[in-house]
Amino acid sequence: MSDLQEEGRHAINSPMSPASADIYPEDTLLEENEERTMIDPTSKDDPKFKELVKVLIDWINDVLVEERIIVKQLEEDLYDGQVLQKLLEKLAGCKLNVAEVTQSEVGQKQKLQTVLEAVHGLLRPHGWVLQWTVDSIHGKNLVAILHLLVSLAMHFRAPIRLPEHVSVQVVVVRKREGLHSSHVTEELTTTTEMMMGRFERDAFDTLFDHAPDKLSVVKKSLITFVNKHLNKLNLEVTELETQFADGVYLVLLMGLLEDYFVPLHNFYLTPDSFDQKVHNVAFAFELMLDGGLRTPKAHPEDVVNLDLKSTLRVLYNLFTKYKDLE
């Protein structure tokens, strides 16, 4: 598990004792039956929470320095989708088809919808848990915004160090029959946990750490399995970590295993860049999910970076389902 993944696990994931909810007077000016959610002041004042917010703001500003965009407050600067659009375009190297400036609430939400759909398209195939909505981001829900930013930072392997053991408590205030009531819930405790759960130690960690002599046996079995199918296209694999790194063989293998033709416009047959290779591996992961397989315990970037353990995990996932396929 990489340092960033380990930090991500702890970044927003450690219980604290419930704090009394000191509700500010201006926050209790609610209409009848209205409900409002806010971060408990105790959490906001916690040094680690402040550090998490600062690290994310500094990261966004570093990414967008050429755009001359300066973020000072996450809730106020990200809610309308403008900065999120620029951030995603810069990180993913894409261009979103959205209006540059939108003043109306409807226009802002439409932009947010487009931006978040693009984010979901990147994160969902890899099993990331999505803890935000258009309404929560546009409503300046800082917890939802933090969920989103931490997910993006982890997905794109941001060169930042997230503080450990950050906990956020949320106060939910309601007005019923003229009376206010409130209760405290703990947020930011499951998203990273669920996202990272699939990276917990497994049999391959044990194999690499304690039984490296058996590694060649596993590799031989997997090579025999993949060649049984790839040979139908006159392809042959001898090195797992290198020949699957560009994602082409993975995509073709999925088509062979599921007995369908994968249209060539869906992937790069001769990828010549890191991003194209990542696209291919991520697309293969989508095909696996469509075929009913478990989410691979690897990032596409790991496979592209010739990480043997990640490649073995992906192929073993296929082997366990299709090993008896004639």
Side-chain angles (χ1 to χ4, degrees):
M1 187 182 299
S2 71
D3 289 342
L4 178 57
Q5 290 168 339
E6 181 63 26
E7 289 156 12
R9 173 189 291 276
H10 295 295
I12 48 178
N13 176 25
S14 183
M16 287 173 57
S17 300
S20 60
D22 295 326
I23 310 300
Y24 295 118
E26 60 269 27
D27 291 326
T28 59
L29 300 177
L30 307 180
E31 300 295 332
E32 183 65 25
N33 295 321
E34 186 181 353
E35 179 177 294
R36 189 168 303 172
T37 300
M38 65 203 77
I39 295 179
D40 179 77
T42 304
S43 292
K44 270 197 169 183
D45 291 337
D46 184 87
K48 289 187 176 181
F49 176 79
K50 290 182 177 180
E51 182 185 355
L52 175 62
V53 172
K54 183 180 185 302
V55 167
L56 291 172
I57 289 176
D58 290 345
W59 170 59
I60 295 172
N61 287 333
D62 285 343
V63 173
L64 298 180
V65 63
E66 295 179 359
E67 302 288 334
R68 297 182 179 179
I69 292 174
I70 298 178
V71 170
K72 296 182 178 179
Q73 192 172 354
L74 295 178
E75 312 97 295
E76 297 299 329
D77 295 335
L78 270 64
Y79 81 95
D80 61 0
Q82 183 76 15
V83 174
L84 283 176
Q85 172 206 342
K86 298 295 185 183
L87 179 65
L88 183 62
E89 289 179 340
K90 197 74 174 178
L91 291 172
C94 65
K95 183 67 177 176
L96 299 180
N97 184 23
V98 294
E100 279 301 311
V101 180
T102 53
Q103 297 293 339
S104 70
E105 180 178 335
V106 172
Q108 291 172 350
K109 287 190 173 182
Q110 287 175 341
K111 170 178 278 193
L112 261 179
Q113 181 72 38
T114 301
V115 174
L116 294 183
E117 283 178 357
V119 171
H120 298 169
L122 288 171
L123 301 183
R124 272 204 184 103
H126 314 317
W128 300 82
V129 181
L130 312 180
Q131 295 278 359
W132 54 85
T133 63
V134 170
D135 287 337
S136 64
I137 300 296
H138 193 267
K140 304 182 182 180
N141 184 319
L142 182 55
V143 173
I145 292 171
L146 289 174
H147 273 304
L148 173 60
L149 293 177
V150 169
S151 298
L152 288 174
M154 294 175 68
H155 177 76
F156 287 103
R157 304 298 180 88
I160 58 178
R161 179 173 292 277
L162 297 172
E164 297 183 358
H165 308 300
V166 180
S167 179
V168 177
Q169 305 213 10
V170 172
V171 181
V172 181
V173 185
R174 297 185 180 93
K175 185 175 183 179
R176 298 288 187 271
E177 298 179 355
L179 300 175
H180 292 95
S181 64
S182 65
H183 68 274
V184 179
T185 62
E186 194 157 53
E187 298 282 347
L188 289 173
T189 57
T190 59
T191 298
T192 304
E193 204 170 67
M194 295 176 70
M195 288 191 301
M196 301 307 304
R198 67 185 193 278
F199 294 101
E200 291 177 358
R201 290 184 62 83
D202 60 12
F204 282 100
D205 291 301
T206 303
L207 182 70
F208 274 71
D209 294 344
H210 304 294
D213 54 311
K214 296 182 180 179
L215 184 59
S216 59
V217 177
V218 174
K219 290 174 67 175
K220 184 177 180 180
S221 297
L222 291 176
I223 287 175
T224 301
F225 163 71
V226 298
N227 281 335
K228 174 183 176 182
H229 301 282
L230 289 174
N231 285 167
K232 299 171 186 176
L233 298 177
N234 294 320
L235 301 174
E236 185 171 3
V237 170
T238 56
E239 290 292 332
L240 295 177
E241 59 265 55
T242 57
Q243 289 181 267
F244 282 98
D246 63 6
V248 175
Y249 279 14
L250 269 182
V251 173
L252 296 176
L253 182 59
M254 278 306 303
L256 291 166
L257 293 172
E258 286 288 333
D259 194 25
Y260 55 68
F261 175 75
V262 181
L264 298 181
H265 66 265
N266 284 337
F267 68 104
Y268 298 95
L269 193 58
T270 55
D272 57 9
S273 70
F274 181 83
D275 287 342
Q276 290 181 359
K277 294 175 183 178
V278 169
H279 169 88
N280 283 354
V281 178
F283 177 59
F285 283 11
E286 290 184 45
L287 297 180
M288 293 175 197
L289 291 174
D290 289 342
L293 278 81
R294 301 187 308 272
T295 302
K297 294 184 178 181
H299 282 307
E301 293 85 353
D302 296 331
V303 176
V304 176
N305 284 325
L306 308 182
D307 181 70
L308 177 58
K309 192 185 298 184
S310 295
T311 304
L312 291 179
R313 284 181 172 127
V314 173
L315 294 176
Y316 187 75
N317 202 16
L318 297 177
F319 175 77
T320 54
K321 179 174 181 179
Y322 299 104
K323 62 180 183 295
D324 298 325
L325 191 63
E326 292 297 331

